[in-house]
Amino acid sequence: MTGFLLQRLLATIPVMAVVAVVVFLLLHLGPGDPAAVIAGDYATPEDIERIRDRLGLNEPLHVQFLTWIGQVLTGDLGISIFSNLPVAQLIAQRVEPTLALSIGTLILTVVVAVPLGVAAAWRAGGWLDRCLMGGAALAFAVPVFVIGYILIYVFAIKLSLLPVQGYRPLADGAVPFLRHLALPVVALSFVFIALIARVTRASVLEVLGEDYIRTARAKGVTTFRLLRRHALRPALVPVVTVIGIAFALLVGGVVVTESVFNIPGLGRLTVDSVLRRDYPVIQGLILVFSAAYVFTNLIVDLLYSVLDPRIRE
Amino acid sequence: MTDATARTVLSIRDLTVELPVDAERAHAVEDVSFDVQAGEIVCLVGESGSGKSVTAQAVLGLLPPGQLRVTGGAIELEGEDLRTAPAARLRSLRGRAMAMIFQEPMTALNPVLTVGEQVREVFETHGVLNPSERRERVIELFRSVQLPDPERLVNTYPHQLSGGQRQRVMIAMAFALEPALLVADEPTTALDVTTQARILEIMRTIQRARGSAVLFITHDFGVVADIADRVVVMRTGRVVEQGPRDQILRSPSHPYTRMLLEAVPGLEPEARDGKADSAALEVRNLSKTFAGGGWFQRGRTVEAVRDVSLVVRKGETLAVVGESGSGKSTLARCTVRLTRASSGEVLLAGEDIAQLEPRALRPFRRRIQMVFQDPFRSLNPRRNVAAALIEGPVNYGVSREEALERAKRLLGLVGLGDDALGRYPHQFSGGQRQRICIARALALEPDVLIADEPVSALDVSVQAQVLDLLADVRERFQLAMLFITHDLRVAAQVADRVAVMSKGEIVETGPVADVFGNPRHPYSRALLAAAPGRGRL
């Protein structure tokens, strides 16, 4: 088990190295002088020279890379061109809302989708199965911003139960935090609930046809125990895979959801930085998102080995 | 055991189970009646499709819901009607009053739970004993089924155990609450003969000690001869004959039972003339080593075949017998070059093909053909028989018309008509499919035919016909045949000479009569001693 863990951890190093190289080259990939690109259309030659000097663009490429990677490894992601603040600080300020939104969505998705999927598989072909799968198709089809605006209209404007938009940090208290988070999390969850419920249904349905399900029934095991212990547990590996992918996809969903609900998270920072051509911030964001993605994969891999003893060896 | 005071544990009267409307017959099981007494083993015998497994599942209420339904008759367990019992009552009887063992030990255990947890679950489900007693009891049960090192084994997962060990776990699970009735559905079919002999002995011992009633389902008359007190013979959903074991085996009254018994190959090899013809296939010092891949697996190697040498002459059959994992299939695959041997020579009419590159190998491919074990999976379901039969010859430059003519001739030879040409594999039975596979191999007019367990997926009556066909084509085309089998009876019937394989090596080789009559190697002796039904069939 320790060997497996070590092996997986080591395997993340080359992946992150490749990401770092690509992120570094991002500045140099576009045509022309990166400094001119960053400075924009109305810059004077002095402006461009200043930017070039500040970014160290006069040094040879490999020296630039080594300098940059050295800074990144010590947590220094550079200075924002737009706001002149450290990129690390900008990102750190925006992490909490995005993390809250993602994790909230993940929890709601798993709590709702997995039981739904198991129920649909258990009653495959019945009315419950058909309703659930029809609902899932619908949830897939409707874009997240449409769901978001419908939820705002119903629960915030008509019923006045929840705030229309905005974000309250957890430090302000759990109740305002959760009240502000509720609608965005529900809006973002729809598509993921549909996805995970379908995958769970397919996976459990397959396991229900296995011989060991018959063995468990021959022991006199109750239906609930049969589904939870004998059907769901072996069926979880594909489900966890898709949850891992979904978590990575969440980032894309977060950009739209944060805009709809006016939440100051990483998604909004990404959009703003791209529009302002704030390259250091964009680079920092890509690094953070990639690291999150690699980390998620690592967790998924480790979960595999916890869930299925055959993968441990 | 069958005296007048015996207690009837299971009583089945006029049991009828309906098949779905689109099935080939109306009932899976029709008007089946028999009893099982306490302390008695009743063998339910029949070929595939006879309804024996359906009968067993109906008893435990485990019929697949929505597909099969009991529509008539009665099933009584110790006087209690199971047909009308509510689901909750059935569930509480399952595992406690009646238990079941299944055929496939590889898939019948949950892969993500330890075997100890799975046996312990029987106690948990029925609320018997407290947690620490349960643990003790599981270890005790493991000891009673002779599992080695029970304290450690309770914490292992199914994939870490061998097939025989897994089946012991299943037996421990089934006997955990000392049920009055045990239903065993082909419990040893997937096991090697030596393992099978041990498992049967364990079942017999525990059953005797506890006086359980056992309904034992099997297709193997050897097993019947070894274990049964009484026998019930089924055919297409009906009971054709039942009675005490010796009566059924020695003087069967129904023609179907007689036919089944006659189809069982004997262990006595037929007398054959020695072949003095030239060698068609010669294997010299062949070895095959599988190495682990990846950074972390390197250095982990398995020697599947070790320094094997053999000769097959024109018109001769050499049977390679051995248990699973003995390397006999790997040997076959290296010989036809489906995989490349690690070292050694494979001489086909004097030419070494063991290490030839694909292009150089091509002309030799035609001359060595193979028939595989599972006829249900070795034909492409989307191509008709004509396509399957002409593909090979056309690849080797025969015109379509000529190949089609040849296909028709071969179909006649294997006992199928021209009308088979346009049909698809799913429209044939297992035996017919294996005939098609034989025709496909013959279509290339090979010198050497390698048959890897060609009859082990077939019913015994069909098996006899396919063996006859193989003997016939060998004679007719003077083929050299390498026949891989785990079944000593089959080997005795088809082979001129036999090679016994164990752990990748040939431990003994010689004429069948010599090896079977007077085995010299201890492993050959153990293998022959374990053959089921020895001395009774």
Side-chain angles (χ1 to χ4, degrees):
Chain A
M1 192 66 196
T2 325
F4 181 83
L5 188 78
L6 202 68
Q7 183 190 344
R8 291 288 148 180
L9 270 172
L10 287 175
T12 62
I13 293 173
V15 178
M16 282 314 294
V18 170
V19 170
V21 171
V22 172
V23 167
F24 169 73
L25 290 176
L26 201 65
L27 257 185
H28 304 271
L29 282 178
D33 185 350
V37 174
I38 290 167
D41 298 338
Y42 305 105
T44 61
E46 291 80 54
D47 288 339
I48 296 174
E49 190 47 47
R50 193 165 41 83
I51 289 171
R52 186 180 291 138
D53 202 46
R54 215 175 77 193
L55 294 179
L57 290 172
N58 294 321
E59 305 283 336
L61 200 59
H62 66 275
V63 175
Q64 289 181 40
F65 179 71
L66 289 177
T67 316
W68 179 76
I69 200 84
Q71 287 170 347
V72 167
L73 285 177
T74 54
D76 177 5
L77 295 174
I79 304 292
S80 161
I81 293 166
F82 179 79
S83 64
N84 262 329
L85 290 168
V87 173
Q89 186 193 327
L90 280 175
I91 290 176
Q93 283 170 355
R94 304 289 193 106
V95 160
E96 190 198 291
T98 302
L99 215 55
L101 188 55
S102 307
I103 291 176
T105 305
L106 192 71
I107 292 172
L108 182 67
T109 300
V110 172
V111 165
V112 175
V114 171
L116 279 184
V118 174
W122 175 239
R123 289 277 169 247
W127 63 267
L128 181 69
D129 181 30
R130 269 180 264 168
C131 288
L132 289 174
M133 289 306 111
L138 196 70
F140 260 132
V142 184
V144 59
F145 65 87
V146 174
I147 295 173
Y149 286 128
I150 292 174
L151 288 175
I152 291 174
Y153 181 76
V154 175
F155 291 97
I157 297 173
K158 283 286 156 192
L159 300 174
S160 303
L161 289 173
L162 295 163
V164 174
Q165 58 173 33
Y167 177 78
R168 286 287 158 77
L170 190 53
D172 292 2
V175 174
F177 169 76
L178 289 175
R179 272 171 54 84
H180 279 85
L181 211 54
L183 289 184
V185 161
V186 171
L188 196 53
S189 294
F190 262 80
V191 66
F192 293 110
I193 289 173
L195 177 71
I196 308 287
R198 289 200 74 111
V199 173
T200 307
R201 175 187 180 272
S203 186
V204 169
L205 197 58
E206 197 184 314
V207 171
L208 282 175
E210 295 283 347
D211 287 351
Y212 53 83
I213 295 297
R214 201 178 48 181
T215 307
R217 288 182 63 207
K219 274 193 272 198
V221 167
T222 56
T223 304
F224 180 73
R225 192 189 178 98
L226 183 84
L227 289 175
R228 188 178 54 84
R229 206 168 136 99
H230 292 278
L232 182 58
R233 269 207 56 188
L236 274 179
V237 165
V239 176
V240 166
T241 309
V242 177
I243 290 175
I245 296 169
F247 196 67
L249 288 176
L250 258 175
V251 174
V254 157
V255 172
V256 177
T257 317
E258 285 180 357
S259 301
V260 171
F261 290 96
N262 196 21
I263 296 171
L266 290 177
R268 288 272 304 288
L269 182 63
T270 309
V271 175
D272 294 346
S273 310
V274 168
L275 292 177
R276 291 167 189 155
R277 282 189 281 199
D278 199 341
Y279 273 82
V281 180
I282 297 172
Q283 283 179 317
L285 283 167
I286 295 177
L287 270 181
V288 167
F289 282 139
S290 306
Y293 190 69
V294 169
F295 181 70
T296 309
N297 265 317
L298 181 67
I299 299 283
V300 167
D301 270 352
L302 295 181
L303 276 177
Y304 283 169
S305 70
V306 172
L307 290 171
D308 193 335
R310 289 167 296 184
I311 297 174
R312 265 171 243 170
E313 280 144 38
Chain B
M1 258 161 275
T2 47
D3 55 298
T5 57
R7 192 164 53 92
T8 303
V9 171
L10 176 70
S11 164
I12 296 180
R13 287 287 164 273
D14 306 318
L15 179 71
T16 299
V17 176
E18 207 173 72
L19 281 170
V21 276
D22 51 345
E24 57 193 48
R25 59 178 204 248
H27 298 103
V29 166
E30 210 173 347
D31 295 333
V32 165
S33 302
F34 62 86
D35 291 337
V36 187
Q37 317 284 334
E40 172 185 62
I41 297 182
V42 172
C43 274
L44 196 54
V45 201
E47 299 192 287
S48 46
S50 62
K52 53 191 195 304
S53 286
V54 170
T55 307
Q57 288 172 18
V59 171
L60 272 89
L62 291 177
L63 289 174
Q67 293 168 41
L68 295 170
R69 212 156 47 88
V70 178
T71 50
I75 305 168
E76 283 182 8
L77 181 72
E78 301 190 294
E80 180 174 357
D81 187 3
L82 298 182
R83 238 198 99 190
T84 54
R89 175 66 186 156
L90 266 183
R91 195 167 58 226
S92 91
L93 288 172
R94 281 201 293 262
R96 193 164 53 81
M98 53 183 180
M100 190 156 177
I101 303 174
F102 301 94
Q103 173 170 357
E104 271 299 332
M106 298 296 159
T107 55
L109 289 167
N110 190 328
V112 304
L113 300 176
T114 65
V115 291
E117 280 178 274
Q118 296 188 57
V119 177
R120 207 151 54 229
E121 192 174 31
V122 180
F123 301 117
E124 286 162 16
T125 301
H126 297 282
V128 182
L129 307 177
N130 66 42
S132 68
E133 288 170 341
R134 286 173 189 160
R135 225 193 116 70
E136 280 309 301
R137 190 79 187 92
V138 171
I139 291 172
E140 230 171 83
L141 280 165
F142 276 17
R143 200 168 285 131
S144 73
V145 292
Q146 296 166 30
L147 277 165
D149 199 359
E151 283 85 0
R152 187 184 63 82
L153 228 62
V154 288
N155 295 321
T156 55
Y157 290 93
H159 72 276
Q160 296 166 318
L161 304 181
S162 70
Q165 288 175 331
R166 292 186 213 190
Q167 204 61 308
R168 283 167 207 232
V169 171
M170 286 295 290
I171 294 171
M173 194 190 288
F175 279 113
L177 292 175
E178 313 206 353
L181 174 72
L182 175 72
V183 178
D185 190 355
E186 305 260 12
T188 58
T189 306
L191 305 174
D192 285 323
V193 276
T194 49
T195 315
Q196 165 169 291
R198 254 171 275 140
I199 294 285
L200 288 179
E201 195 193 303
I202 289 168
M203 284 187 68
R204 196 65 163 139
T205 312
I206 299 180
Q207 180 262 347
R208 285 232 173 94
R210 311 217 167 144
S212 329
V214 175
L215 178 60
F216 193 107
I217 293 163
T218 181
H219 69 283
D220 186 338
F221 272 101
V223 173
V224 174
D226 281 350
I227 200 170
D229 295 311
R230 283 193 308 117
V231 182
V232 177
V233 184
M234 282 186 77
R235 182 195 193 185
T236 56
R238 291 175 169 275
V239 171
V240 297
E241 184 170 3
Q242 56 180 307
R245 176 190 64 194
D246 291 344
Q247 179 195 320
I248 299 282
L249 293 183
R250 300 241 170 81
S251 48
S253 61
H254 196 279
Y256 177 71
T257 316
R258 278 203 291 276
M259 187 279 286
L260 276 183
L261 279 164
E262 273 158 23
V264 178
L267 264 174
E268 293 299 308
E270 289 169 26
R272 291 203 185 84
D273 332 327
K275 306 276 179 193
D277 228 315
S278 58
L281 173 73
E282 192 174 352
V283 173
R284 284 188 195 153
N285 309 107
L286 187 109
S287 294
K288 174 71 185 174
T289 308
F290 292 102
W295 295 353
F296 293 85
Q297 307 282 314
R298 213 167 279 166
R300 230 201 225 177
T301 57
V302 179
E303 275 192 293
V305 176
R306 215 178 319 163
D307 197 24
V308 162
S309 299
L310 52 85
V311 176
V312 194
R313 290 177 231 286
K314 255 177 99 170
E316 179 195 55
T317 300
L318 172 69
V320 177
V321 299
E323 301 193 285
S324 48
S326 63
K328 55 193 196 303
S329 281
T330 307
L331 171 65
R333 295 174 66 85
C334 288
T335 310
V336 277
R337 277 296 305 272
L338 284 173
T339 42
R340 200 184 278 223
S342 307
S343 65
E345 296 171 26
V346 176
L347 300 173
L348 198 58
E351 291 267 1
D352 181 15
I353 64 162
Q355 303 295 338
L356 286 183
E357 293 307 314
R359 187 181 293 272
L361 183 65
R362 202 175 134 78
F364 293 99
R365 287 254 188 232
R366 191 187 64 71
R367 299 167 63 179
I368 180 159
Q369 286 294 305
M370 190 155 174
V371 176
F372 299 90
Q373 173 169 6
D374 191 343
F376 292 89
R377 290 193 305 179
S378 53
L379 288 166
N380 185 333
R382 289 189 176 75
R383 312 195 70 194
N384 65 21
V385 172
L389 292 185
I390 68 173
E391 184 177 23
V394 167
N395 280 345
Y396 279 92
V398 176
S399 75
R400 279 189 71 85
E401 293 69 33
E402 204 190 319
L404 211 56
E405 272 313 304
R406 199 187 281 179
K408 283 181 192 163
R409 267 203 320 277
L410 284 168
L411 280 177
L413 184 76
V414 299
L416 294 168
D418 286 0
D419 58 323
L421 281 174
R423 291 159 67 196
Y424 288 85
H426 71 268
Q427 295 168 294
F428 296 92
S429 68
Q432 287 171 324
R433 285 187 222 200
Q434 202 58 304
R435 287 164 190 275
I436 294 166
C437 291
I438 292 169
R440 177 176 63 180
L442 294 176
L444 285 163
E445 302 178 334
D447 306 326
V448 179
L449 188 66
I450 298 194
D452 189 0
E453 302 270 10
V455 295
S456 50
L458 304 175
D459 279 326
V460 60
S461 59
V462 182
Q463 178 177 321
Q465 295 162 13
V466 172
L467 289 178
D468 284 346
L469 172 64
L470 282 170
D472 178 50
V473 298
R474 183 199 62 185
E475 246 351 272
R476 195 185 288 254
F477 300 108
Q478 283 298 296
L479 290 172
M481 188 148 79
L482 187 64
F483 194 104
I484 312 285
T485 183
H486 72 283
D487 188 332
L488 298 172
R489 292 173 183 277
V490 168
Q493 294 314 299
V494 298
D496 301 296
R497 287 185 307 120
V498 63
V500 181
M501 261 188 108
S502 168
K503 294 176 186 144
E505 288 177 289
I506 290 185
V507 296
E508 180 165 4
T509 179
V512 185
D514 292 0
V515 175
F516 278 37
N518 181 24
R520 290 189 310 277
H521 194 276
Y523 179 74
S524 317
R525 279 201 287 273
L527 203 58
L528 278 156
R534 199 173 153 77
R536 286 211 181 84
L537 279 173

